[in-house]
Amino acid sequence: MAEVADSARTVILTVDDDPGVSRAVARDLRRRYGATYRIVRAESGASALEALRELKLRGDLVAVILADYRMPQMNGIEFLEQALSVYPGARRVLLTAYADTNAAIDAINVVDLDHYLLKPWDPPEEKLYPVLDDLLAAWRANDYRPVPTTKVVGHRWSARSSNLREFLARNQVPYRWYSSDEPEGRRLLEAAGADGQRLPLVITPEGAVLIEPEASDLAAHVGLATTPAADFYDLVVIGGGPAGLGSAVYGASEGLRTVLVERSATGGQAGQSSRIENYLGFPDGVSGAQLTERARRQAGRFGAEILTTREVTGLEANGAARVVRFSDGSTVAAHSVILATGVTYRQLQAPGCDDLTGCGVYYGSALTEASSCQGQDVYIVGGANSAGQAAMYLARSAKSVTLLVRGASLTASMSYYLIQQIEETPNITVRTRTVVEAAHGDGHLEQLTLRDVEGGATELVDAQWMFVFIGAAPLTEWLDGTVLRDERGFILAGPDLTPDGRPPADWELDRPPYHLETNVPGVFVAGDARAESAKRVASAVGEGAMAVMLVHRYLEQS
């Protein structure tokens, strides 16, 4: 096995099957370049390739490879040919005896050899160092910089690949995407020892290889917290959208031991918005991702814990404690709970859409997939603000964007400022009274059948990209039997619990429920999950702050 140190410096690799020569070469290299480059030594082509693959997985750079020509099993030319597929940018040097000069000249064409050196090269100051100085200068000029980020290899039309990319992007985890049918993607698959049949493949900055990882496993490997640090808190916030983040910021800043639990990524639907232009204090607008990241950092600065990939499946009152149960059977308890579970995009009930989800049909993924839509014709289903914001964002690079709206106009559901912007954007077309009848494609979206809701006429159009924003449903099924909800699943609280002025039948306290308090004392709701909420970012943040104020009032009287 080659000697691979822990240093992150750029590598010069040398391979020679003669241990004495190998040590001598490494000694000469370290004397001149050891302060700025890491010298890796191997004694066979196989072990050198193993070292290169390990370096590749860790995201390290290899500037120069020196290989002896006369090695058993795999000679220097054969080794450099394979090394070329792992590090195509590395400069390649063949070490030869005088009798092997013709082989070295032939290797210039076989492996695009940069130089060959005759052994011995004493003194190195005259015969070795000048050559390597020139090669290193040429390598630096090509700007082969390291990418110390998570790498993802997947297929363009893969639902799992799309979901994984969206998970990383929404959790603000830097990553580089490589298609499995492109050269660098194939190099990474080979370096990881993967056959490419099971995708996506993830390589962490530390070089760990994950094949088809579950969200919880991926989160643990990229530095996202998934386990609570304590068993009991003052406040558990369930949901990481604007309402949940607002609750976490105000709860932690006011001295409550606070933990926020999110099943996927903080930000909720707002976090996927390309630009929010009507949020107070941002006259030029702000992207949902920017607003989410600022709120998350703010909550963390005040001491709130933020857990991701934790699915909450139950809530129960156990004396003064409110116990939250996770899908893995573990629990966390607190004096109080704020339900900020938000909503999820409704699924388009048209034949073919389920099979093509993540393969051309997307729900709220405009930001993640936008780069792939450059120069393409894009369809967006929906007529509210989310659809309008996605249309404006995608129109920057797409050839055309077509908004498909069931209603007669956008005025009933979209903000006026967005309608004006859409009307002024030449490559956006609005088709009203139009619905998607069916989606067609073999492995990925290829066509859509559109229907006029008035006349019933249908039209078949070519389409590779469709983004769907057709309303939202609350994520509250897990509260069945514990917290009262309306017929659509939205959580009832405060005055909505007491329409006749009397508290619910199972209410235990002398006072009526507080404004955002559910039928379970100490359990509050904020944001879109609440019945009759405003469904706006500003109101959600405000309700999150207000819920914390009511938590304080509850704790003072408990």
Side-chain angles (χ1 to χ4, degrees), residues 255-268:
L256 297 178
R257 292 171 298 168
T258 302
V259 60
L260 183 150
V261 180
E262 167 58 44
R263 68 183 187 128
S264 177
T266 53

Side-chain angles (χ1 to χ4, degrees), residues 539-555:
S539 62
V541 174
E543 287 190 8
M546 182 179 178
V548 170
M549 179 192 73
L550 297 174
V551 165
H552 279 292
R553 190 177 299 176
Y554 167 78
L555 294 177

Side-chain angles (χ1 to χ4, degrees), residues 6-43:
D6 292 329
S7 170
R9 292 175 300 177
T10 301
V11 167
I12 298 174
L13 182 140
T14 174
V15 52
D16 195 306
D17 67 305
D18 186 319
V21 174
S22 177
R23 286 192 294 269
V25 174
R27 181 195 62 226
D28 286 346
L29 292 175
R30 289 193 180 99
R31 185 189 309 160
R32 173 79 168 216
Y33 305 106
T36 52
Y37 293 90
R38 184 159 124 245
I39 310 304
V40 175
R41 180 172 66 87
E43 295 182 1

Side-chain angles (χ1 to χ4, degrees), residues 212-532:
E212 294 183 320
E214 297 296 330
S216 57
D217 190 32
L218 179 59
H221 276 85
V222 297
L224 299 175
T226 60
T227 305
D231 296 325
F232 198 90
Y233 294 82
D234 294 319
L235 172 63
V236 173
V237 180
I238 303 175
L245 288 169
S247 297
V249 167
Y250 283 95
S253 67
E254 294 174 12
L256 297 178
R257 292 171 298 168
T258 302
V259 60
L260 183 150
V261 180
E262 167 58 44
R263 68 183 187 128
S264 177
T266 53
Q269 285 189 321
Q272 301 177 63
S273 175
S274 57
R275 182 155 296 272
I276 302 168
E277 297 193 60
N278 58 352
Y279 188 70
L280 184 67
F282 292 89
D284 298 322
V286 61
S287 74
Q290 289 174 320
L291 190 63
T292 296
E293 176 60 13
R294 292 178 181 182
R296 180 165 54 185
R297 286 193 287 110
Q298 193 173 18
R301 185 169 65 85
F302 285 124
E305 290 181 42
I306 298 180
L307 310 180
T308 57
T309 67
R310 295 309 301 262
E311 184 84 23
V312 177
T313 58
L315 172 67
E316 59 188 63
N318 187 0
R322 302 294 176 258
V323 180
V324 174
R325 188 172 301 281
F326 298 122
S327 58
D328 63 359
S330 62
T331 61
V332 65
H335 292 299
S336 59
V337 172
I338 295 178
L339 303 172
T341 51
V343 293
T344 186
Y345 289 108
R346 294 188 186 277
Q347 304 295 294
L348 186 61
Q349 300 301 315
C353 286
D354 286 348
D355 293 337
L356 295 173
T357 297
C359 305
V361 177
Y362 302 95
Y363 294 86
S365 301
L367 286 174
T368 306
E369 300 295 335
S371 61
S372 301
C373 298
Q374 187 169 0
Q376 304 285 315
D377 297 314
V378 177
Y379 287 82
I380 296 177
V381 183
N385 279 4
S386 295
Q389 290 161 352
M392 290 301 302
Y393 183 75
L394 291 169
R396 298 176 187 175
S397 58
K399 178 182 177 182
S400 71
V401 176
T402 303
L403 264 173
L404 305 176
V405 184
R406 177 183 289 272
S409 71
L410 295 172
T411 55
S413 54
M414 189 177 292
S415 295
Y416 178 66
Y417 80 90
L418 268 176
I419 296 175
Q420 285 185 307
Q421 291 178 359
I422 288 171
E423 290 175 348
E424 295 168 359
T425 305
N427 61 334
I428 297 181
T429 301
V430 180
R431 294 186 55 168
T432 57
R433 300 190 184 280
T434 304
V435 297
V436 175
E437 186 80 357
H440 315 279
D442 182 12
H444 64 86
L445 179 65
E446 296 172 350
Q447 293 181 314
L448 294 172
T449 298
L450 307 181
R451 178 172 59 84
D452 186 315
V453 297
E454 287 188 332
T458 61
E459 176 186 0
L460 189 66
V461 298
D462 292 332
Q464 286 190 315
W465 304 93
M466 179 174 70
F467 299 90
V468 182
F469 304 86
I470 55 171
L475 298 167
T476 59
E477 296 86 354
W478 59 279
L479 292 168
D480 190 31
T482 304
V483 173
L484 293 179
R485 299 171 294 150
D486 66 12
E487 64 280 0
R488 295 179 299 163
F490 290 95
I491 298 171
L492 299 171
D496 294 323
L497 285 169
T498 60
D500 56 0
R502 292 181 297 178
D506 58 350
W507 186 252
E508 305 170 354
L509 306 180
D510 294 335
R511 61 168 178 83
Y514 294 131
H515 185 71
L516 299 177
E517 195 169 19
T518 69
N519 62 297
V520 180
V523 176
F524 300 81
V525 60
D528 291 358
R530 184 178 66 84
E532 307 301 327

Side-chain angles (χ1 to χ4, degrees), residues 60-101:
D60 292 345
L61 292 180
V62 175
V64 177
I65 301 173
L66 300 94
D68 182 55
Y69 173 64
R70 288 182 177 271
M71 293 190 295
Q73 286 83 47
M74 182 188 300
N75 68 36
I77 296 175
E78 294 168 338
F79 161 72
L80 288 174
E81 191 172 10
Q82 294 193 45
L84 180 64
S85 67
V86 183
Y87 277 98
R91 301 296 168 169
R92 292 167 291 281
V93 179
L94 192 67
L95 308 180
T96 69
Y98 183 80
D100 300 321
T101 302

